[in-house]
Amino acid sequence: MNAVEVKNLKKTFGPIVALGGVDMEVKEGEIYGFLGPNGAGKTTTLRVIMGLLEGDEGEVKVFGEDLTRSSRSKIGYLPEKVSLYGRMTVEENIRFFCRIKGLAEKECIRVITEFKLERFKGQLVKNLSRGQLQRLGLAQASIGKPRLLVLDEPTSGLDPNVRKWVKEKIKDLKKKGVTILLSSHVLEEAQEVCDRVGIISDGGMLVEDKVDSLVNDLELEDRLILDAYPKKKALELLKETEEARRSRILHGKLITYGKGSDKIGIIKMLIDEGIDVRDLNVHEPDLEEVFVKLTEGAR
Amino acid sequence: MIDYLKGLFSKDMWSRMINIAQKEVKACLRNGWVIAIFSIFVLLSVFVSYFGAAVGNGDWGGYEQTIVYLVAYMEYMGAVLGIVLGFGAVVQEREDGSLELLMSYPLDRGEVIGGKFLGLWAVLSLCVAGGLAVGGVVIAFTVEHMIWSEYYLFILSSVLMGGVFLSLSLLCSTYFTSNNSSMAGSVFFFFLFNILWLFLMYFVAELSFGWDALTTDKPTPTWYFALQLINPVVVWYSLLATNLTALRDYMAIELGGTRAAEHPEFYQTWGLLALLVIWIAVPLLLAEYIINKKAL
């Protein structure tokens, strides 16, 4: 069964088309990355899934059901801006949300322990650091062991340590059988944690697949980063070739693209022309390139 | 409709609303502004009670004047308290983003409105009842003829009147999308019911039967008294004027026994109390309707 199924979801705000017919399928037990540039419609889609916003057209099902009170109790939500009650302590916030779900004190203790909130459970939320707040946010989303977690930009604005902790926690939750739908614009992280991704742009879903499949299907080229001299001459030479016409200089490095044997040919040609190639790095295509290629094409 | 009414008796719904109410009380009691307003309210109540009673040197006339001062003071302060507590209750949470998070939980939006009202009303009741109770003790020490049963009714009706303004400001807080607009809307109700209404009713009287009928022996039509009940502040005041001996006597003396001190027979205590309750319920139901229709 699909954890989330969205069909032809449309939403407009006055003259602005926020969603122009989004389709999405999140399979049970997977981590699904919902990616797209700012303003693409990620948050709007998530808010419709959560029942915070009503779509104009289309269908949203969570675990095969329309969104009801019962299906909402199976979902945990972490909005992009984590806003808990500042004048209440960490423990009071957790207890409050546990009671809203009709859960006993035991669950409150479990959440505090599992998310390592004991150290600052007596602190007022308004005095927490950004990292502590995100930890608390994720803890509140996990109250009642929901089957689905919807996380809107869960690592945005966090320092590297907290970001790492959040990623580990997400993987850990997946191991416990929780389905995770997360939106992100940090593609490297999405590639690291997600089983499948969907890329949205201008309110429309461009593609939905496994990261590896996307890279293979799009037949993306490897990226070559060269430390070559003289740079200008090397660039001119590269631009004359069919294979490396997309070459450019970025941050003092010469960047070019090529597949398989093309790469060797490119290097050989530069050396033959008297270019001093001092260093060479080859990067396999990643989600970032998939993203750039797809969203550029959509614009 | 039947489902809706059934829902009102659901134990789970009440438990969720009480949870939200407790959260509101906790947040209010940690809010410096609310504590400051509460303290000022209690101090002013004591001030009005002491000096009001002192005017008559502890005799019966002093008590009447004190009650009149307290009623005049409550007429404004009760409304102000309701507005201060309610105008930001929903809109502020919407601006902060915590409303979005709360609404992602399995609860109805109406329960959020209901829970907020219960919590804030509890705080308001604590302020009003606390302030007036302290004031009552001061009066009891100063005068001999304290009629406690009437004073309890005064406290109860003031709590209800404050609740009306709380309910109206919650409606504004749900309808408007910014704190400032919500405050402006709430202040509009304050001016409408406390100041503009008087002029409006004089205008209506002048156009229909002549406003001098209000202060002379000329009969005032019954419909005019009925129309006055549209204003919750008039309902509250009429409730006090028909029940508080001190206020009735004071008005009769001050107004020379004119018709202004009289009320028609349909101004019954329970009816007037019920009207105040309706005035609380209607804005809350409207707020529920709006929040259900509105995107967060």
Side-chain angles (χ1 to χ4, degrees), chain A residues 56-86:
Chain A
D56 299 334
E57 266 181 62
E59 196 180 73
V60 176
K61 299 242 184 230
V62 177
F63 296 109
E65 295 172 10
D66 289 332
L67 202 67
T68 57
R69 186 198 293 270
S70 122
S71 56
R72 251 192 292 167
S73 64
K74 296 172 193 162
I75 315 175
Y77 178 53
L78 178 69
E80 184 177 1
K81 185 185 166 201
V82 184
S83 296
L84 291 135
Y85 298 106

Coordinates of all heavy atoms in Angstrom, one line a residue, chain A residues 56-86:
Chain A
D56 N -7.7 22.7 -4.7 CA -8.9 23.0 -5.6 C -9.4 21.8 -6.3 O -10.6 21.7 -6.5 CB -8.5 24.1 -6.6 CG -8.0 25.4 -6.0 OD1 -8.4 25.6 -4.8 OD2 -7.2 26.1 -6.6
E57 N -8.5 21.0 -6.7 CA -8.9 19.8 -7.5 C -7.9 18.7 -7.1 O -6.8 18.9 -6.6 CB -8.7 20.0 -9.0 CG -9.9 20.4 -9.7 CD -9.7 20.6 -11.2 OE1 -9.3 19.6 -11.8 OE2 -9.8 21.7 -11.7
G58 N -8.3 17.4 -7.4 CA -7.3 16.3 -7.2 C -7.7 15.5 -5.9 O -8.7 15.8 -5.2
E59 N -6.8 14.5 -5.7 CA -7.1 13.6 -4.6 C -5.9 13.3 -3.8 O -4.8 13.2 -4.3 CB -7.5 12.3 -5.3 CG -8.2 11.3 -4.4 CD -8.6 10.0 -5.2 OE1 -7.6 9.2 -5.6 OE2 -9.7 9.8 -5.5
V60 N -6.1 13.3 -2.5 CA -5.0 13.0 -1.6 C -5.4 11.8 -0.7 O -6.5 11.9 0.0 CB -4.6 14.2 -0.7 CG1 -3.5 13.8 0.3 CG2 -4.1 15.3 -1.6
K61 N -4.6 10.8 -0.7 CA -5.0 9.6 0.2 C -3.7 9.3 1.1 O -2.6 9.3 0.6 CB -5.3 8.4 -0.6 CG -6.5 8.5 -1.5 CD -7.6 7.6 -1.1 CE -8.7 7.7 -2.1 NZ -10.0 7.8 -1.4
V62 N -4.0 9.1 2.3 CA -2.9 8.7 3.3 C -3.3 7.3 3.8 O -4.3 7.1 4.3 CB -2.8 9.7 4.4 CG1 -1.8 9.2 5.4 CG2 -2.5 11.1 3.9
F63 N -2.4 6.3 3.5 CA -2.6 4.9 3.8 C -4.0 4.5 3.2 O -4.8 3.8 3.9 CB -2.5 4.6 5.3 CG -1.1 4.9 5.8 CD1 -0.9 6.0 6.7 CD2 -0.1 4.0 5.5 CE1 0.4 6.2 7.1 CE2 1.2 4.3 5.9 CZ 1.4 5.4 6.8
G64 N -4.3 4.9 2.0 CA -5.5 4.5 1.3 C -6.8 5.2 1.7 O -7.8 4.9 1.2
E65 N -6.7 6.1 2.7 CA -7.9 6.8 3.2 C -7.8 8.3 2.9 O -6.8 8.8 2.8 CB -8.0 6.6 4.7 CG -8.2 5.3 5.3 CD -8.0 5.3 6.8 OE1 -8.0 6.4 7.4 OE2 -7.9 4.2 7.4
D66 N -9.0 8.9 2.8 CA -9.1 10.3 2.8 C -8.6 10.8 4.1 O -8.6 10.1 5.1 CB -10.5 10.8 2.5 CG -11.0 10.5 1.1 OD1 -10.1 10.5 0.2 OD2 -12.2 10.3 0.9
L67 N -8.2 12.1 4.2 CA -7.6 12.6 5.4 C -8.8 12.8 6.4 O -9.6 13.6 6.2 CB -6.9 13.9 5.2 CG -5.9 14.2 6.2 CD1 -4.7 13.2 6.3 CD2 -5.3 15.6 6.0
T68 N -8.7 12.0 7.5 CA -9.7 12.2 8.6 C -9.0 12.3 9.9 O -7.7 12.2 9.9 CB -10.6 10.9 8.7 OG1 -9.7 9.8 8.9 CG2 -11.4 10.7 7.4
R69 N -9.7 12.5 11.0 CA -9.1 12.5 12.3 C -8.3 11.2 12.5 O -7.2 11.3 13.0 CB -10.2 12.7 13.3 CG -9.6 12.9 14.7 CD -10.6 12.6 15.8 NE -11.7 13.6 15.7 CZ -11.7 14.7 16.4 NH1 -10.7 15.0 17.2 NH2 -12.7 15.5 16.4
S70 N -8.8 10.1 12.1 CA -8.2 8.8 12.4 C -6.9 8.7 11.5 O -5.8 8.3 12.0 CB -9.1 7.7 12.1 OG -8.6 6.8 11.1
S71 N -6.9 9.2 10.3 CA -5.7 9.1 9.5 C -4.7 10.1 9.9 O -3.5 9.9 9.8 CB -6.0 9.2 8.0 OG -6.7 10.4 7.7
R72 N -5.1 11.2 10.5 CA -4.2 12.3 10.9 C -3.4 11.8 12.2 O -2.3 12.3 12.4 CB -4.9 13.6 11.2 CG -4.6 14.6 10.2 CD -5.1 16.0 10.6 NE -6.5 16.1 10.6 CZ -7.2 17.1 11.2 NH1 -6.5 18.0 11.8 NH2 -8.5 17.1 11.2
S73 N -4.0 10.9 12.9 CA -3.3 10.4 14.1 C -2.2 9.5 13.7 O -1.3 9.1 14.5 CB -4.3 9.7 15.0 OG -4.8 8.5 14.4
K74 N -2.1 9.1 12.4 CA -1.0 8.2 12.0 C 0.1 9.0 11.4 O 1.1 8.5 10.9 CB -1.5 7.3 10.8 CG -2.6 6.3 11.3 CD -3.1 5.6 10.1 CE -4.4 4.8 10.4 NZ -5.2 4.4 9.2
I75 N 0.0 10.4 11.4 CA 1.0 11.2 10.8 C 1.6 12.1 11.8 O 0.9 12.7 12.7 CB 0.3 12.1 9.7 CG1 -0.6 11.4 8.8 CG2 1.4 12.8 8.8 CD1 -1.4 12.2 7.8
G76 N 2.9 12.3 11.7 CA 3.6 13.3 12.5 C 4.1 14.3 11.5 O 4.5 14.0 10.4
Y77 N 4.1 15.6 12.0 CA 4.5 16.7 11.0 C 5.5 17.6 11.7 O 5.4 18.0 12.8 CB 3.2 17.4 10.7 CG 3.3 18.7 9.8 CD1 4.0 18.6 8.6 CD2 2.8 19.9 10.2 CE1 4.1 19.7 7.8 CE2 2.9 21.0 9.4 CZ 3.5 20.9 8.2 OH 3.7 22.0 7.4
L78 N 6.5 18.0 10.9 CA 7.5 18.9 11.3 C 7.5 20.1 10.3 O 8.0 19.9 9.2 CB 8.9 18.3 11.5 CG 10.0 19.2 11.9 CD1 9.8 19.7 13.3 CD2 11.3 18.6 11.7
P79 N 6.9 21.2 10.6 CA 6.9 22.3 9.6 C 8.3 22.9 9.5 O 9.2 22.7 10.3 CB 5.9 23.3 10.2 CG 5.7 22.9 11.6 CD 6.2 21.6 11.9
E80 N 8.5 23.6 8.4 CA 9.8 24.2 8.1 C 10.2 25.1 9.3 O 11.3 25.1 9.7 CB 9.7 25.0 6.8 CG 11.1 25.6 6.4 CD 11.1 26.3 5.1 OE1 10.0 26.4 4.5 OE2 12.2 26.8 4.7
K81 N 9.3 26.0 9.7 CA 9.6 26.8 10.9 C 9.0 26.1 12.1 O 7.8 26.1 12.3 CB 8.9 28.2 10.7 CG 9.2 29.2 11.7 CD 8.4 30.5 11.5 CE 8.5 31.4 12.7 NZ 7.4 32.3 12.7
V82 N 9.9 25.6 12.9 CA 9.4 24.9 14.1 C 8.9 25.9 15.1 O 9.6 26.7 15.7 CB 10.5 24.0 14.7 CG1 10.0 23.2 15.9 CG2 11.1 23.1 13.7
S83 N 7.6 25.9 15.3 CA 7.0 26.8 16.3 C 6.3 26.1 17.4 O 5.1 25.6 17.2 CB 6.0 27.7 15.6 OG 6.7 28.5 14.6
L84 N 6.9 26.0 18.5 CA 6.3 25.4 19.7 C 6.0 26.5 20.6 O 6.2 27.6 20.3 CB 7.2 24.3 20.2 CG 7.3 23.1 19.3 CD1 8.7 22.7 19.2 CD2 6.4 22.0 19.7
Y85 N 5.4 26.1 21.8 CA 5.0 27.1 22.7 C 6.1 27.6 23.6 O 6.6 27.0 24.5 CB 3.8 26.6 23.5 CG 2.6 26.3 22.6 CD1 2.3 25.0 22.3 CD2 1.9 27.3 22.0 CE1 1.3 24.7 21.5 CE2 0.9 27.0 21.1 CZ 0.6 25.7 20.8 OH -0.4 25.4 20.0
G86 N 6.6 28.8 23.3 CA 7.8 29.4 23.9 C 7.7 29.6 25.4 O 8.7 29.5 26.1

